Amino acid sequence: MSAPAVPDRPARVRTVATAALRQWHLHPRWAMAVRGAVAAAAAWLVGMVLPEPFSDYPYYAPLGAVVATTSTVARSVRESLQAVGAILAGAVIARLADLLLAPSALSIALVVAVAILVAGWGILGDMGSWAVTSALFVLIIGNADKVGYVGAYAGLVVVGALVGIGINLLFPPLPLAASDVALGRLREALADQLDHLAEGLDRGAAPSPEEWDERRLTLGPVIDVSRQSAAHTKDALRANRRAKRYAETSRTQGAQAEALSLTSSVVGDLTRLITSWETQDREDLAFGEPLRPLARDTLRAYADAVRSMAGAVADPERLTRVEQATDALRQAVRDVRSGSEEDYFVAGATVLAVRRGAAVIDGR
């Protein structure tokens, strides 16, 4: 009996390396941490060799470097300018307060209050909070060197930001893998919601409102994360030297994000329609016993099509099943309408919603 084959060492090394690289791509914050650490260290060294008064405060340079490396290339420039603007605004507030009041609890309270108001100024964006930090630093720490400290503080942040922007230009972030994961989770969550609705219809009687509540998934956070991830990736492509290399991947991902956004709207409409109108406490049910099995099959077919999406397009065979299921449901709605006083409006709206959803992911 021969011994089982043992994978050769190079193959194991390649497998481990591939897995490690995938994890690296799936967690863009790891790369952000490395870029931030390198930029902060480099900015510190630059601050140390600058002439006085800059070399007296080298620890402010890493602050600018961190601002520039914790975002995309395009945003790093914008946020660096906003941070410097906030620092200068805070310094002006502190200097004006210093002219009017002696350093005291009152002057600190006044400076903080005004700086917080300035921090909310839209032009400063997320960097507005630097105005408060700057105002306190200038008022308390920089009181001994009123001019030199402000210049060194703002100047070193600019130097650090330039170092950080340079690091970002050399190693620009492009979180395509992380965005792929977020979109995949949204795709599965939408398909799961459709399956849950189908399961609710897979019974002899309409579910109660409480039973429907158990079948409603909380899609909001998943949708928000996918949208934020897609927006972040789009922003990361601007002024990114790697953008051309991954142009096709980013285009496909953008198309998928748009398709899933429209699909989430359709799934939301279906969820509201079905859980509101096919319940035990209503006399005018959306489907009733004649249509419930067909509505169930339609939802399951649509769920399978959504789950089969490759990029923005679903599998053609799955889409054909959706078309067949909706045709069967539409014909059944017509049949029951002809022999009933009920208009079965919600059932008809369900057919239209599923058709609209299938059209979104139909690449034919």
Side-chain angles (χ1 to χ4, degrees):
M1 181 176 179
S2 59
V6 179
D8 60 286
R9 183 167 181 175
R12 293 200 302 271
V13 171
R14 285 194 298 271
T15 301
V16 172
T18 301
L21 184 61
R22 174 170 172 75
Q23 289 301 313
W24 176 266
H25 287 153
L26 289 176
H27 298 85
R29 187 162 289 273
W30 295 355
M32 183 192 299
V34 173
R35 285 195 305 272
V38 171
W44 165 272
L45 293 174
V46 172
M48 290 287 288
V49 300
L50 289 175
E52 294 182 354
F54 299 100
S55 59
D56 294 333
Y57 311 99
Y59 38 82
Y60 289 127
L63 294 178
V66 170
V67 169
T69 52
T70 52
S71 59
T72 63
V73 176
R75 285 182 59 195
S76 66
V77 177
R78 181 175 68 249
E79 292 182 351
S80 297
L81 292 173
Q82 290 174 330
V84 173
I87 287 171
L88 293 176
V92 170
I93 293 169
R95 289 281 72 92
L96 290 175
D98 192 49
L99 292 175
L100 299 174
L101 298 169
S104 64
L106 178 60
S107 64
I108 291 175
L110 177 63
V111 163
V112 169
V114 176
I116 288 175
L117 292 175
V118 171
W121 191 17
I123 197 171
L124 298 178
D126 294 336
M127 299 294 106
S129 60
W130 281 69
V132 182
T133 304
S134 171
L136 286 173
F137 279 9
V138 171
L139 183 66
I140 300 172
I141 302 176
N143 197 47
D145 186 6
K146 301 183 186 301
V147 178
Y149 179 82
V150 174
Y153 185 15
L156 285 167
V157 170
V158 171
V159 169
L162 290 175
V163 172
I165 291 170
I167 296 292
N168 256 9
L169 287 171
L170 288 174
F171 307 101
L174 191 58
L176 291 174
S179 186
D180 243 356
V181 171
L183 291 173
R185 287 174 179 166
L186 175 58
R187 183 180 63 245
E188 288 299 317
L190 294 173
D192 287 345
Q193 178 62 86
L194 292 168
D195 280 337
H196 281 222
L197 293 176
E199 289 169 6
L201 298 176
D202 191 16
R203 49 188 297 169
S208 66
E210 293 76 18
E211 288 171 323
W212 274 130
D213 286 340
E214 295 175 359
R215 297 185 181 279
R216 281 196 190 95
L217 300 182
T218 306
L219 296 176
V222 185
I223 294 172
D224 290 342
V225 168
S226 68
R227 285 175 177 169
Q228 291 168 5
S229 182
H232 185 63
T233 300
K234 183 178 180 181
D235 190 48
L237 290 169
R238 296 167 58 199
N240 193 319
R241 64 181 181 85
R242 300 166 61 196
K244 187 175 181 179
R245 179 181 174 187
Y246 294 98
E248 182 60 25
T249 301
S250 61
R251 186 199 64 77
T252 301
Q253 198 173 87
Q256 184 183 33
E258 178 66 20
L260 286 174
S261 177
L262 294 172
T263 300
S264 67
S265 176
V266 172
V267 172
D269 290 344
L270 286 169
T271 302
R272 285 187 292 273
L273 277 171
I274 295 170
T275 60
S276 298
W277 288 84
E278 187 69 11
T279 60
Q280 291 177 3
D281 57 353
R282 298 189 67 91
E283 293 183 3
D284 50 341
L285 295 176
F287 307 109
E289 290 186 21
L291 301 179
R292 196 177 295 125
L294 294 171
R296 173 203 62 201
D297 294 343
T298 299
L299 292 174
R300 283 179 175 166
Y302 184 30
D304 288 343
V306 170
R307 197 171 274 115
S308 73
M309 287 174 66
V313 180
D315 176 64
E317 291 185 7
R318 307 288 178 89
L319 287 169
T320 299
R321 293 173 196 165
V322 176
E323 185 178 356
Q324 292 170 347
T326 53
D327 284 346
L329 179 57
R330 180 177 60 85
Q331 185 58 51
V333 172
R334 287 180 176 179
D335 292 343
V336 296
R337 275 177 177 168
S338 63
S340 170
E341 295 181 358
E342 300 289 341
D343 61 7
Y344 288 93
F345 170 78
V346 176
T350 299
V351 171
L352 292 176
V354 174
R355 283 186 166 176
R356 176 164 60 94
V360 168
I361 56 177
D362 188 352
R364 292 176 292 183

